[in-house]
């Protein structure tokens, strides 16, 4: 299958979705941020000097989903109908597991919006706690669910 963001001459272009059907679409992306136990405790106990780390990160993720076309050059602006970002403290990492869900009714999917939301959410956790832990690692970014449109449903294993 050819890459859709390149024309016959190999030049980058925005994909024409005008002939695609308008359908309900959803995408879910996940990632995580691993940190030192002390940092995990500061977040879980609400002791971060910059405030509510998880609350601010959730808002940052929601805002990022809405701004995705401003960040990804060939991404279509979409009428997003729902964004939710779940942050779960995981003692096993230790760290935070992030799940971003984005919905729309449109002619193209919202995978990029979900990935952007999860990414910015993790970066915000990093920003708010970097004063106590510069060793944090962000990883595992992936789409775990995509549904709607011609290609149908995709679920990661």
């Amino acid at each position: 299958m050819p890459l859709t963001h390149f024309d016959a001459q190999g030049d980058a272009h925005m994909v024409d979705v005008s002939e695609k059907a308008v359908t309900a679409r959803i995408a879910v992306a996940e990632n995580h941020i691993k940190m030192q136990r002390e940092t995990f405790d500061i977040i879980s106990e609400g002791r971060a000097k910059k405030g509510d780390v998880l609350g601010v990160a959730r808002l940052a993720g929601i805002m990022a989903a809405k701004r995705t076309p401003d960040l990804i050059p060939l991404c279509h602006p979409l009428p997003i109908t729902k964004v939710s970002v779940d942050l779960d403290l995981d003692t096993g990492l230790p760290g935070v597991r992030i799940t971003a869900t984005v919905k729309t009714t449109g002619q193209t999917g919202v995978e990029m919006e979900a990935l952007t939301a999860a990414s910015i959410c993790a970066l915000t956790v990093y920003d708010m706690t970097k004063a106590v832990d510069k060793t944090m690692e962000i990883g595992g970014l992936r789409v775990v669910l995509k549904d709607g449109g011609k290609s149908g449903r995709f679920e990661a294993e």
Side-chain angles (χ1 to χ4, degrees):
M1 186 170 187
L3 297 175
T4 58
H5 285 89
F6 295 96
D7 63 17
Q9 292 74 38
D11 296 324
H13 71 100
M14 190 173 203
V15 175
D16 182 358
V17 297
S18 60
E19 300 299 318
K20 294 173 89 178
V22 173
T23 61
R25 296 164 186 265
I26 185 172
V28 180
E30 69 177 16
N31 64 349
H32 64 269
I33 181 165
K34 187 176 178 181
M35 59 197 58
Q36 294 177 17
R37 173 61 65 182
E38 175 190 357
T39 311
F40 179 85
D41 292 342
I42 287 169
I43 292 171
S44 65
E45 295 167 9
R47 295 186 286 118
K49 290 187 178 182
K50 289 187 175 182
D52 177 8
V53 173
L54 301 182
V56 172
R58 180 177 295 105
L59 287 175
I62 292 167
M63 292 172 63
K66 297 189 306 182
R67 299 299 302 264
T68 300
D70 296 332
L71 302 169
I72 310 292
L74 301 176
C75 198
H76 291 83
L78 299 171
I80 293 174
T81 57
K82 170 81 172 160
V83 179
S84 64
V85 180
D86 297 313
L87 296 95
D88 296 308
L89 293 167
D90 183 342
T91 57
L93 281 174
V96 182
R97 294 201 178 273
I98 300 163
T99 305
T101 303
V102 181
K103 293 181 179 182
T104 192
T105 301
Q107 294 170 292
T108 190
V110 285
E111 299 95 299
M112 295 310 299
E113 288 76 5
L115 289 164
T116 301
S119 298
I120 295 303
C121 188
L123 288 169
T124 301
V125 171
Y126 186 96
D127 179 56
M128 292 189 70
T129 55
K130 68 183 183 278
V132 294
D133 186 357
K134 291 180 180 33
T135 67
M136 290 179 280
E137 296 177 21
I138 297 170
L141 180 64
R142 66 186 188 139
V143 172
V144 294
L145 172 71
K146 176 255 178 233
D147 200 10
K150 185 173 72 172
S151 63
R153 188 173 183 89
F154 162 80
E155 285 188 74
E157 297 175 16

